[in-house]
Every structure is written in C-alpha cells, then in structure tokens.
Amino acid sequence: MVNNTTNNNQFNACQHVQLGGMAFYDESKYFMFSPDEPVPDVVRRMRRMHGVAQQMTDGTFDFVAQPRVRSQSQLIRKLAHGRVSLTKDKAIQLTLKVMSDENINIAETIVAEAAEGANALIEYQLKR
C-alpha cells in the first residue's frame, strides 16, 4: 500500500505544491495530470502560461514557466493595420501589417496609413 499525501507549502511568498499521481503526455500537444488523491482547488489555476516542459533524466516531469515579454513601447496612435509608437530607447516606430488576401491595394494602404501615422506623430510632438 502506497501512502501518498499532498504537500502544500509557502516558501518566499510562493506556493509550492507536491502531488502524487499519473501523468498523460501526447506528442507535445496535450498534458494531463491525475492526482492519486484528487482535492479541488489545491493548485491555483494558471492561464496563458508558456514555458518549457521536459522529462528529466531521473524520470520526473518538469515544467518551467516563461513569462510573456510585454511591449515596452508607448502607443502614439493605433492604425487600421498597425501602430505608431515611441520605443523604450525613444525612437519613433511605425508598424504596419497588411494581409495579401484583404482584396485592397496594399501599396495605397501602406502610403495612406503611413501618412496617417505621420500626422499622428505631428500631433503628438505638438502636445509635448
């Protein structure tokens, strides 16, 4: 008879949970863990988590979360196909993305939105 217990401890203001159970893994697309002693709400819910999952040499399974890198630029104006922004190093950046299947004249769209971005930049600079 195996006596598995759930350990739930706080270290350095972080929740550490250790559960015994069975894991199912399917070609990097699906991971499911079934604890031996299912207890609701022992582990907090995690959403939109990205990271690296790997099986270690000792047979255990490890997951290390990697936070998403947030944009460090300040939005000046949102455009229909992009944005004009001030980057962290104080550069002005114009970003446009037009899909080839939008059934519009892409060159004219880029010119028009670049002009709109330039006007937004003039307004931005006048306010400063």
Side-chain angles (χ1 to χ4, degrees), residues 50-69:
H50 293 58
V52 176
Q54 61 185 352
Q55 187 171 17
M56 307 303 284
T57 56
D58 65 357
T60 60
F61 193 84
D62 188 38
F63 179 80
V64 178
Q66 296 172 334
R68 281 189 178 172
V69 178

Side-chain angles (χ1 to χ4, degrees), residues 7-126:
N7 294 327
N8 191 343
N9 301 310
Q10 289 275 341
F11 296 109
N12 297 327
C14 294
Q15 181 185 26
H16 296 272
V17 179
Q18 182 176 342
L19 300 170
M22 179 77 67
F24 300 93
Y25 177 68
D26 180 22
E27 297 179 15
S28 300
K29 296 179 182 172
Y30 181 75
F31 178 80
M32 184 181 80
F33 176 76
S34 297
D36 291 334
E37 298 174 12
V39 178
D41 302 322
V42 171
V43 179
R44 286 183 298 188
R45 181 174 295 206
M46 297 172 278
R47 292 190 180 270
R48 296 185 184 162
M49 182 169 290
H50 293 58
V52 176
Q54 61 185 352
Q55 187 171 17
M56 307 303 284
T57 56
D58 65 357
T60 60
F61 193 84
D62 188 38
F63 179 80
V64 178
Q66 296 172 334
R68 281 189 178 172
V69 178
R70 299 240 181 239
S71 173
Q72 295 184 359
S73 62
Q74 176 188 355
L75 178 66
I76 295 173
R77 171 80 51 89
K78 176 75 176 93
L79 305 170
H81 291 92
R83 60 187 285 148
V84 177
S85 54
L86 179 67
T87 64
K88 185 178 181 179
D89 60 352
K90 304 298 181 200
I92 301 298
Q93 179 174 315
L94 170 66
T95 306
L96 296 173
K97 182 177 179 180
V98 182
M99 304 303 288
S100 60
D101 61 354
E102 288 188 48
N103 294 326
I104 58 174
N105 186 322
I106 296 174
E108 288 178 4
T109 302
I110 290 173
V111 168
E113 291 193 28
E116 184 182 341
N119 291 335
L121 181 58
I122 292 169
E123 291 175 21
Y124 174 79
Q125 288 176 326
L126 288 175

